[in-house]
Amino acid sequence: MMLPLLLLLPLLAVAGAGTAAAKKTAYEALADFDFPPGIIPKGVVSYTLDNSTGDFTARLDTKSTCEFSIQGSYSLRYKPNISGRISVDRLTNLEGVSVKILFFWVNIIEVTRSGDSLGFSVGIASAEFGLDNFLECPTCGCGFDCNGGLLLEKQPAEPSLRLRGAF
């Protein structure tokens, strides 16, 4: 009776290994925190996430910065390594992502979700965009205006800029 049981053990081990959950993609991990995939560009090749603290890192498949323009007026820049802290509806301590305002590159330090809007903060100012602008991931170099790919028609967003502090 013991011999058939011993023969089954290797089969059970193989079957158990096949049911182990594969690691989610960075885009799927964002969804767990109520963020759309399009807040990071295509090309994340690896990421780490500490579930107890929310600290994360993400590595893009690029040796230099990933830069593109969106909505004809904003330029975004992602460094090859992005890091920060994530919780439901909130990204803080963000490093490696910047936006061009006039002639200067300014770090985006926080992203928050409120209903169907995402707010992007650079510290003294923030801008809000509709969630539907981030359902698709942009591509480094061309954003959403890449030739040769099937892209959904995107409606231009109407950002609302807010200054923080008492004026």
Side-chain angles (χ1 to χ4, degrees):
M1 190 59 126
M2 191 65 143
L3 186 59
L5 184 60
L6 290 175
L7 292 175
L8 284 177
L9 284 177
L11 291 174
L12 291 174
V14 170
T19 60
K23 183 177 179 180
K24 295 180 179 183
T25 68
Y27 309 98
E28 293 167 334
L30 282 171
D32 289 344
F33 294 95
D34 210 20
F35 282 103
I39 63 171
I40 53 176
K42 293 177 184 174
V44 174
V45 292
S46 65
Y47 76 96
T48 62
L49 174 62
D50 182 332
N51 288 318
S52 64
T53 64
D55 289 342
F56 74 89
T57 62
R59 172 92 179 123
L60 294 175
D61 185 22
T62 180
K63 293 189 188 329
S64 61
T65 59
C66 168
E67 190 174 323
F68 53 89
S69 294
I70 57 170
Q71 303 169 20
S73 60
Y74 286 97
S75 291
L76 291 172
R77 184 184 285 168
Y78 290 79
K79 291 183 178 177
N81 294 305
I82 303 165
S83 64
R85 179 169 284 175
I86 191 168
S87 60
V88 174
D89 294 336
R90 192 164 184 205
L91 279 164
T92 58
N93 302 339
L94 197 55
E95 294 182 10
V97 183
S98 55
V99 61
K100 191 173 187 179
I101 300 176
L102 300 175
F103 303 106
F104 303 99
W105 287 98
V106 182
N107 292 328
I108 296 173
I109 58 171
E110 183 177 47
V111 181
T112 56
R113 179 174 177 176
S114 178
D116 289 337
S117 295
L118 289 179
F120 295 82
S121 173
V122 296
I124 61 168
S126 64
E128 291 188 12
F129 297 89
L131 189 67
D132 57 342
N133 290 289
F134 301 93
L135 300 178
E136 180 183 347
C137 295
T139 301
C140 293
C142 57
F144 297 108
D145 298 322
C146 303
N147 294 331
L150 177 62
L151 298 175
L152 300 173
E153 183 82 21
K154 296 198 69 68
Q155 298 296 323
E158 295 292 329
S160 92
L161 184 63
R162 279 191 325 249
L163 291 177
R164 293 191 178 186
F167 286 91

